[in-house]
């Protein structure tokens, strides 16, 4: 890939796909058209992520707060998720994409729940790229569920560690995101991966999600490659411990 060194390729990229509505409004189109274009863009970005050697892509599709949108829009967003599964599953599966769901399926229409489960089940052995679909997801809600399960499992207080909490999150077993991208110029985290994103690098762009293309992702990765990640350490300590993933041996 256009000169991002392998050690600077983020292993896990998470995206807040924002600005579909404004994209449409700017063009005097209904908001739904923005969501449709945003959905089209998913395919491009998933393909680019594979090409660039990203291993995990987490996409914020529907938040626990999105239930507060007008009912018509909520219905449309649900239909879009269903449509993406119907239309794209074969191709994503063929391309080696493993689909995972993060969030709560409770509260989702049973037919859609089944489709989400089928998509995850069918692709679970794929290894080229993990795509976490954050659907009916909220970071606080995720932590509440984790704590409830920890308590229900009878874990003693002294056994509660950061690692243990991480292992009870929807992203259990996955590395935290290296890079969190938000499109459309907003500068907030909106309850997305609030635990996992503690040391993520953040990248915000004015570009609306439907226009965030391969080149935009590459630009975000270039920006990331110039960051000095220190994880709370001094520059000298951080320099002594390069964060190179030993598995990476190709230049993307
Ligand atoms: C934000 O734009 C976008 C969303 C709330 C939905 C994004 C969902 C998709 C693109 C489909 C995802 C489907 C899968 C299966 C991953 P907005 O409506 O908040 O835009 P605005 O801030 O301009 O109003």
């Amino acid at each position: 890939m256009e000169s991002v060194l392998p050690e600077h390729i983020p292993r896990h990229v998470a995206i807040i796909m924002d600005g579909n509505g404004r994209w449409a409004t700017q063009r005097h189109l209904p908001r739904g058209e923005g969501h449709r274009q945003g959905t089209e863009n998913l395919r491009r970005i998933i393909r680019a992520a594979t090409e660039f050697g990203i291993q995990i892509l987490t996409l914020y599709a529907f938040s626990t707060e999105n239930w507060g949108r007008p009912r018509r829009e909520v219905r449309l967003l649900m239909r879009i998720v269903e449509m993406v599964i119907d239309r794209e599953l074969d191709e994503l599966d063929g391309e080696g994409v493993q689909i995972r769901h993060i969030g709560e399926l409770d509260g989702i229409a049973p037919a859609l729940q089944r489709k989400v489960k089928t998509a995850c089940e069918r692709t679970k052995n794929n290894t080229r790229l993990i795509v976490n679909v954050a659907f009916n997801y909220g970071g606080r809600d995720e932590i509440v569920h984790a704590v409830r399960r920890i308590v229900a499992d009878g874990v003693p207080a002294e056994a509660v560690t950061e690692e243990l909490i991480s292992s009870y999150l929807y992203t259990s077993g996955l590395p935290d995101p290296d890079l969190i991208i938000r499109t459309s110029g907003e500068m907030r985290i909106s309850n997305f991966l609030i635990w996992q994103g503690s040391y993520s690098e953040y990248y915000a762009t004015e570009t609306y999600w439907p226009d965030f293309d391969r080149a935009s992702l590459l630009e975000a990765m270039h920006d990331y490659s110039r960051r000095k990640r220190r994880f709370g350490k001094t520059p000298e300590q951080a320099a002594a411990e390069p964060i190179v993933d030993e598995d990476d041996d190709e230049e993307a």
Side-chain angles (χ1 to χ4, degrees):
M1 173 185 56
E2 296 104 59
S3 79
V4 174
L5 293 169
E7 62 268 34
H8 291 143
I9 293 170
R11 189 147 61 133
H12 182 173
V13 175
I15 309 182
I16 303 177
M17 308 176 288
D18 199 7
N20 290 349
R22 277 164 287 164
W23 182 94
T25 305
Q26 215 176 44
R27 290 162 177 77
H28 310 287
L29 294 168
R31 288 176 60 82
E33 188 51 32
H35 292 313
R36 263 183 284 276
Q37 292 300 325
T39 307
E40 286 300 307
N41 196 36
L42 282 174
R43 198 179 307 138
R44 284 197 286 270
I45 292 302
I46 290 174
R47 197 156 291 151
T50 316
E51 178 197 341
F52 296 158
I54 292 166
Q55 294 171 27
I56 305 158
L57 187 63
T58 300
L59 301 168
Y60 207 3
F62 189 89
S63 75
T64 46
E65 289 69 37
N66 286 153
W67 290 107
R69 291 193 174 201
R71 272 179 58 191
R72 260 189 74 206
E73 184 160 339
V74 169
R75 273 203 303 272
L76 176 68
L77 289 168
M78 294 289 152
R79 268 212 310 277
I80 284 179
V81 172
E82 194 163 356
M83 197 183 73
V84 171
I85 297 174
D86 288 343
R87 282 203 201 152
E88 310 291 337
L89 183 57
D90 283 347
E91 199 170 324
L92 291 172
D93 189 26
E95 287 171 1
V97 174
Q98 183 187 130
I99 299 168
R100 294 190 185 193
H101 168 242
I102 64 170
E104 275 302 304
L105 282 180
D106 280 355
I108 304 293
L112 183 49
Q113 286 192 27
R114 280 194 296 276
K115 285 194 181 185
V116 172
K117 285 182 191 158
T118 303
C120 298
E121 185 55 34
R122 201 173 128 188
T123 61
K124 69 177 185 205
N125 295 321
N126 292 342
T127 54
R128 190 142 180 234
L129 172 72
I130 294 175
V131 174
N132 287 316
V133 180
F135 174 54
N136 196 19
Y137 172 88
R140 289 184 174 183
D141 189 59
E142 176 178 35
I143 294 169
V144 168
H145 277 90
V147 172
R148 284 191 186 148
R149 286 178 41 233
I150 291 169
V151 172
D153 285 351
V155 176
E158 58 279 10
V160 177
T161 59
E162 292 188 10
E163 291 71 28
L164 181 103
I165 292 175
S166 293
S167 75
Y168 274 81
L169 300 178
Y170 301 124
T171 49
S172 172
L174 296 177
D176 288 338
D178 301 297
L179 173 63
I180 299 183
I181 297 171
R182 183 166 191 150
T183 60
S184 91
E186 305 294 347
M187 301 288 261
R188 53 179 176 269
I189 198 59
S190 301
N191 206 11
F192 186 48
L193 303 176
I194 53 176
W195 175 280
Q196 299 89 333
S198 307
Y199 279 102
S200 303
E201 295 295 324
Y202 284 89
Y203 177 86
T205 170
E206 295 288 327
T207 307
Y208 294 148
W209 170 249
D211 291 330
F212 186 87
D213 57 9
R214 177 188 179 281
S216 315
L217 179 60
L218 189 57
E219 176 50 39
M221 289 172 65
H222 275 294
D223 190 272
Y224 170 83
S225 74
R226 294 190 288 268
R227 307 279 178 96
K228 300 268 179 278
R229 302 188 77 190
R230 303 202 331 233
F231 300 94
K233 298 190 172 152
T234 65
E236 294 72 26
Q237 287 173 310
E241 277 178 33
I243 45 147
V244 177
D245 181 346
E246 285 164 12
D247 293 339
D248 286 335
D249 51 7
E250 288 170 29
E251 184 156 336

